[in-house]
Amino acid sequence: RLAVNLEDKNDAAVTVGGPVWRDKAWFFLSGQMRENKDDVQLSSSASQTGGTETYKNEGKNYFAKLTGKLTEKTTMIGQYFEDPQEISGSTDVNLVPNRYIATDSTPKTIWGSAQHIFGNSFLVDARVGQMKWDFFQKAQHPELGGQNTLLFAAGDPAPNYIKLLGGSATDFTNINTDQSIALRSLWEFFETTQFDD
């Protein structure tokens, strides 16, 4: 019989923006909170006593932007974005809970840019920014010690809760940082043509 996990989803967001200084500076802020939560019914292979475990996927978004018009031809923009996420548990009904892993991931981006128009048609745009991503994945139950997997002869019906002992062997850290500097220009050429009858 087909079994389906009971799933709860919650999503809430807010945005606000407007002028800081009339015709000179503006701001924009936004935030979001997301949560996916599943009640996972364990199989007879994953648990001797049955029961349910909780799988949770939580995420947030933060964004901020500030724009300033210094002169009629000069504009400056600063912005920040962050998207942290935490995952715990598993949706695999055959995985024993002691082998669950937990993930913590947080990408961040910060940018600043300046634009200036020379004359009436030559635009210079300069940008500098940094992107950083912190990623951690570890055993959800480190107190259970190292991973200990028992091997049985092929075809042996031993359930997973007997084979898969100890905690998860996962212990992974990855931190990436990337800086970027860009300078570009745009030349607009306008031509007027007169037609004679």
Side-chain angles (χ1 to χ4, degrees):
R1 193 174 71 173
L2 181 64
V4 179
N5 298 331
L6 179 62
E7 182 180 40
D8 291 329
K9 289 188 176 183
N10 298 296
D11 193 333
V14 61
T15 62
V16 60
V20 178
W21 184 7
R22 185 172 179 175
D23 298 329
K24 292 291 184 181
W26 302 264
F27 79 98
F28 180 81
L29 301 171
S30 68
Q32 181 186 27
M33 299 181 65
R34 310 178 312 275
E35 181 187 77
N36 290 356
K37 190 176 179 182
D38 295 4
D39 291 330
V40 180
Q41 179 66 50
L42 297 177
S43 70
S44 58
S45 179
S47 173
Q48 185 177 12
T49 58
T52 62
E53 291 290 332
T54 300
Y55 166 80
K56 188 180 292 186
N57 186 335
E58 295 179 302
K60 300 178 179 68
N61 289 327
Y62 306 112
F63 179 77
K65 183 177 181 180
L66 182 64
T67 303
K69 195 168 183 64
L70 303 185
T71 68
E72 283 297 318
K73 296 187 176 184
T74 304
T75 303
M76 297 191 70
I77 300 173
Q79 62 183 35
Y80 176 80
F81 175 72
E82 183 176 329
D83 183 21
Q85 183 182 34
E86 294 182 4
I87 301 175
S88 60
S90 173
T91 56
D92 185 351
V93 299
N94 294 313
L95 182 63
V96 292
N98 54 284
R99 289 290 184 90
Y100 287 171
I101 62 175
T103 301
D104 187 349
S105 172
T106 307
K108 304 174 184 177
T109 304
I110 185 168
W111 270 98
S113 66
Q115 299 175 344
H116 184 77
I117 301 175
F118 294 90
N120 294 320
S121 56
F122 188 66
L123 172 69
V124 174
D125 180 83
R127 301 187 178 197
V128 60
Q130 181 187 73
M131 184 274 185
K132 185 180 181 184
W133 186 8
D134 299 334
F135 184 87
F136 306 96
Q137 197 171 67
K138 298 184 178 183
Q140 188 168 319
H141 299 288
E143 72 279 1
L144 298 179
Q147 179 173 300
N148 182 17
T149 301
L150 303 183
L151 300 179
F152 289 78
D156 191 292
N160 286 338
Y161 65 82
I162 291 180
K163 296 179 182 179
L164 306 180
L165 306 178
S168 171
T170 301
D171 190 357
F172 179 74
T173 297
N174 187 22
I175 299 177
N176 289 325
T177 303
D178 181 28
Q179 284 90 18
S180 177
I181 299 176
L183 180 66
R184 64 179 183 172
S185 61
L186 178 64
W187 179 271
E188 294 183 2
F189 180 70
F190 301 96
E191 182 179 358
T192 302
T193 304
Q194 182 176 350
F195 296 93
D196 295 327
D197 292 335

